[in-house]
């Protein structure tokens, strides 16, 4: 599963829609968010949404590119501090 692999590598499921590296996955994530808004009550989709929920999927990801990049760098800094005891 590409999304699961992305999460393992990045620690989250916020795949950039305009990612050169993950173009298909980014488009799929955008489509899932749209389906979530349109198909919330459909039993088949509810099961699929539950699987994404269990993975930690974020349904509302309205973060600007700058905020997204800042959050990624902050998470890297926290990981560095944890590993090295300082930053």
């Amino acid at each position: 599963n590409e999304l699961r692999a992305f999460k393992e590598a990045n620690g989250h499921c916020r795949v950039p829609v305009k990612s050169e590296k993950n173009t298909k996955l980014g488009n799929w994530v955008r489509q899932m968010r749209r389906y979530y808004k349109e198909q919330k009550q459909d039993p088949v989709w509810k099961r699929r949404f539950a699987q994404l929920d269990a993975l930690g999927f974020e349904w509302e990801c309205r973060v600007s590119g700058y905020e997204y990049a800042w959050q990624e760098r902050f998470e890297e800094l926290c990981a560095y501090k944890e590993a090295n005891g300082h930053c």
Side-chain angles (χ1 to χ4, degrees), residues 4-45:
R4 190 175 317 273
F6 181 91
K7 182 177 181 181
E8 287 175 11
N10 297 283
H12 58 77
C13 295
R14 296 182 307 267
V15 182
V17 175
K18 295 183 179 182
S19 167
E20 291 178 22
K21 190 171 158 186
N22 298 298
T23 304
K24 288 181 182 180
L25 183 58
N27 288 331
W28 182 82
V29 164
R30 180 176 46 190
Q31 188 175 18
M32 290 304 103
R33 289 190 177 118
R34 190 178 76 235
Y35 286 166
Y36 182 73
K37 291 176 185 173
E38 298 169 357
Q39 306 290 338
K40 280 185 180 179
Q41 303 308 317
D42 183 291
V44 172
W45 280 102

